[in-house]
Amino acid sequence: MSQDGASQFQEVIRQELELSVKEELEKILSTAPSHEFEHTKKDLDGFRKLFHRFLQEKGPSVDWGKIQRPPEDSIQPYEKIKARGLPGNISSVLNKLVVVKLNGGLGTSMGCKGPKSLIGVRNENTFLDLTVQQIEHLNKTYNTDVPLVLMNSFNTDEDTKKILQKYNHCRVKIYTFNQSRYPRINKESLLPVAKDVSYSGENTDAWYPPGHGDIYASFFNSGLLDTFIEEGKEYIFVSNIDNLGATVDLYILNHLMNPPNGKRCEFVMEVTNKTRADVKGGTLTQYEGKLRLVEIAQVPKAHVDEFKSVSKFKIFNTNNLWISLAAVKRLQEQNAIDMEIIVNPKTLDGGLNVIQLETAVGAAIKSFENSLGINVPRSRFLPVKTTSDLLLVMSNLYSLNAGSLTMSEKREFPTVPLVKLGSSFTKVQDYLRRFESIPDMLELDHLTVSGDVTFGKNVSLKGTVIIIANHGDRIDIPPGAVLENKIVSGNLRILDH
């Protein structure tokens, strides 16, 4: 078959597939109750557009030869932004801000049911508690009215709303909206797994929230975007709710509202320097004359090692983003927000292979005018993805003040220790059972724990500590133990490291 013939054949197949998917989606929509019809229609229309693009695009979405280092002035050092100081009218600047937290994730990777934001992280406080405390502190200190908006998913919405009542007396207005609900597709047939709109029973696994890139459409569709613009708000600060370093930074906000060259940025991405632990993080590049976020999934296989190199790509995206509300409205109305599709393969409990099509919020940077990267200190990136991260934020490495965690002044160097807890610690409840109290970690560089290990009260860890209980053995670190540069193995033999 000639090349023309082959591409014509593929085009026919593609058109037939799109038609089949359209029919399946119409069947699903016909099962929606009348009060959910419009909402479901918007979701399924959004999915169809994404699916259409997925069929059009093949292979990695970047041409490696076009990737260039960003121009010097397109990524500013935070110190330079901070050096400008703050204006006298910081309250009027703050009153133009809305804080948006991405709250669609479940705590399943840490063995918890329900929204991740409701996991206790410090002194009984959850991620959500700390967020509310931070914003309430801002509002009281500066006599302002900065609202908090939570982007929930259908997985987290109900549980989150139940909890919100406890903040009724706080000085923070809290709003929520839901990201879209898209059908997962069968990897073989590329047809939706769902047969109707319900997401219980055998349909539980048929739906997914399509990544945080969905924020633009969902925020716009919820009506909140227009509400805030009418109230005179100008920027949103978007971040992951599990990033405890993502607090409102007044210097960055001032830079946005009072730019030194008089030209406002529509999009600012906070980036920070890569360490060996961050090789997979998306990085900012110059591509066809614009700043562009490149994720590892978009890199051709032959260049993955180059992408991971700390020397060539020195920074990565923290997902702390400052975005102009007016620009979101304009681009959303023009249907001009362009984000690469992330194809996320999953295997459902019954063994069915599915794919879900997602987008990432930072990928839209190239659609905005006058975008900027700001290279912020590592302290603004403190995500809690695992119990290893949880151990760090619960420890005396950090002090807690008005909902914000700051590195203890007693720590002699600013980097965070590398902590690797084994599979016996994966679930939060197992992890908590294994520590009678959180060890003193002020002088720790590296901790690896593997196997059935428990820690008594008031243990102190310093330097490099490796604790490995072999299969069938158990190691109990005694109360008050001081382990400095030690390897503990087998059944509690303590060796110098």
Side-chain angles (χ1 to χ4, degrees):
M1 194 186 285
S2 71
Q3 202 166 358
D4 277 358
S7 60
Q8 274 178 333
F9 175 70
Q10 283 186 316
E11 182 55 38
V12 170
I13 297 274
R14 195 165 64 216
Q15 284 173 356
E16 283 183 0
L17 186 57
E18 287 216 44
L19 201 62
S20 304
V21 166
K22 183 178 176 223
E23 284 168 6
E24 290 294 315
L25 294 177
E26 279 166 0
K27 279 184 207 163
I28 293 171
L29 183 60
S30 70
T31 68
S34 56
H35 66 280
E36 279 181 24
F37 185 85
E38 275 311 309
H39 188 78
T40 308
K41 187 174 185 313
K42 270 184 182 162
D43 281 357
L44 295 180
D45 284 350
F47 172 77
R48 252 186 74 195
K49 280 183 194 158
L50 199 59
F51 186 75
H52 173 75
R53 280 181 48 215
F54 162 69
L55 292 181
Q56 300 287 344
E57 296 166 13
K58 283 283 172 264
S61 49
V62 289
D63 175 347
W64 193 253
K66 292 183 180 176
I67 287 181
Q68 298 169 305
R69 285 197 174 167
E72 280 300 305
D73 59 344
S74 65
I75 299 179
Q76 299 269 348
Y78 176 76
E79 290 66 35
K80 187 176 169 187
I81 296 217
K82 191 174 180 179
R84 294 183 60 211
L86 293 174
N89 63 340
I90 195 70
S91 302
S92 63
V93 174
L94 265 171
N95 273 328
K96 305 281 188 200
L97 183 70
V98 176
V99 174
V100 181
K101 291 286 181 182
L102 304 171
N103 185 46
L106 293 167
T108 40
S109 63
M110 291 161 77
C112 293
K113 286 190 165 67
K116 186 172 181 185
S117 57
L118 307 183
I119 294 175
V121 280
R122 182 82 189 217
N123 308 356
E124 306 294 308
N125 287 303
T126 63
F127 290 104
L128 189 54
D129 292 336
L130 294 177
T131 302
V132 172
Q133 286 168 30
Q134 287 164 20
I135 299 175
E136 182 174 49
H137 178 66
L138 265 184
N139 284 337
K140 283 180 171 172
T141 306
Y142 297 101
N143 192 24
T144 51
D145 182 23
V146 177
L148 170 64
V149 179
L150 301 171
M151 179 167 89
N152 298 337
S153 66
F154 64 89
N155 289 320
T156 62
D157 189 52
E158 206 176 311
D159 290 340
T160 302
K161 280 181 174 161
K162 281 180 196 159
I163 290 288
L164 290 182
Q165 292 162 9
K166 81 178 199 184
Y167 307 117
N168 283 347
H169 304 296
C170 293
R171 190 169 160 177
V172 183
K173 282 190 193 139
I174 304 178
Y175 301 83
T176 65
F177 69 97
N178 266 10
Q179 61 188 118
S180 308
R181 184 164 75 100
Y182 283 1
R184 285 179 165 146
I185 42 187
N186 183 317
K187 194 178 175 187
E188 299 305 318
S189 67
L190 291 183
L191 294 176
V193 178
K195 294 291 170 254
D196 57 53
V197 291
S198 71
Y199 47 98
S200 54
E202 57 187 46
N203 248 5
T204 313
D205 285 340
W207 302 90
Y208 71 98
H212 42 54
D214 186 55
I215 185 172
Y216 304 105
S218 298
F219 194 38
F220 180 80
N221 290 339
S222 72
L224 280 175
L225 178 70
D226 284 335
T227 304
F228 288 130
I229 289 174
E230 281 161 26
E231 286 177 8
K233 306 290 186 193
E234 294 182 27
Y235 281 94
I236 48 175
F237 171 49
V238 180
S239 61
N240 298 352
I241 198 151
D242 65 7
N243 178 6
L244 294 176
T247 56
V248 171
D249 186 282
L250 299 177
Y251 299 101
I252 295 177
L253 180 61
N254 178 46
H255 187 83
L256 284 170
M257 299 296 295
N258 304 304
N261 62 0
K263 191 176 177 211
R264 281 199 177 180
C265 297
E266 289 188 346
F267 195 111
V268 162
M269 176 180 287
E270 294 184 35
V271 295
T272 194
N273 292 342
K274 264 189 189 182
T275 66
R276 304 256 171 233
D278 312 304
V279 291
K280 290 183 176 174
T283 193
L284 268 189
T285 61
Q286 172 91 342
Y287 193 89
E288 296 180 337
K290 294 204 104 168
L291 274 186
R292 175 155 172 170
L293 179 68
V294 176
E295 303 277 1
I296 194 161
Q298 296 161 246
V299 177
K301 278 197 173 66
H303 296 282
V304 165
D305 286 343
E306 194 181 339
F307 174 81
K308 287 180 174 179
S309 126
V310 180
S311 54
K312 180 160 185 183
F313 297 104
K314 295 185 166 65
I315 51 157
F316 73 97
N317 167 29
T318 63
N319 223 35
N320 300 348
L321 309 167
W322 304 75
I323 310 171
S324 153
L325 286 167
V328 174
K329 183 175 167 70
R330 178 190 81 235
L331 291 168
Q332 199 52 45
E333 284 172 345
Q334 295 169 353
N335 197 18
I337 293 184
D338 176 22
M339 294 171 285
E340 289 74 31
I341 296 174
I342 300 162
V343 180
N344 191 352
K346 298 261 179 191
T347 303
L348 302 185
D349 286 346
L352 181 69
N353 289 323
V354 296
I355 53 177
Q356 47 194 53
L357 305 178
E358 303 175 8
T359 55
V361 56
I365 188 168
K366 62 181 179 297
S367 304
F368 289 81
E369 293 301 315
N370 203 26
S371 300
L372 180 69
I374 297 181
N375 192 344
V376 297
R378 183 73 188 204
S379 57
R380 295 202 41 82
F381 184 67
L382 188 56
V384 180
K385 302 287 182 200
T386 61
T387 49
S388 303
D389 300 330
L390 199 54
L391 181 62
L392 291 170
V393 299
M394 283 184 161
S395 75
N396 60 346
L397 286 165
Y398 292 96
S399 49
L400 180 65
N401 181 19
S404 298
L405 290 181
T406 44
M407 178 76 76
S408 166
E409 289 173 2
K410 293 178 188 162
R411 172 102 173 148
E412 286 184 10
F413 25 87
T415 54
V416 178
L418 197 59
V419 171
K420 292 179 184 170
L421 299 178
S423 55
S424 308
F425 291 79
T426 304
K427 294 182 175 177
V428 172
Q429 64 210 51
D430 294 342
Y431 152 88
L432 290 171
R433 216 176 28 149
R434 292 179 176 279
F435 289 98
E436 269 193 66
S437 69
I438 302 295
D440 168 355
M441 291 166 45
L442 277 175
E443 295 175 46
L444 181 69
D445 299 325
H446 179 122
L447 172 68
T448 296
V449 183
S450 173
D452 186 0
V453 178
T454 62
F455 291 79
K457 275 202 163 119
N458 304 324
V459 171
S460 187
L461 304 172
K462 302 178 180 192
T464 296
V465 178
I466 299 168
I467 304 170
I468 296 172
N470 299 326
H471 186 66
D473 287 339
R474 171 173 167 165
I475 294 179
D476 298 313
I477 303 296
V482 177
L483 299 180
E484 181 167 4
N485 296 328
K486 296 285 189 228
I487 297 174
V488 183
S489 72
N491 45 10
L492 201 63
R493 285 176 304 146
I494 298 183
L495 312 171
D496 285 340
H497 173 63

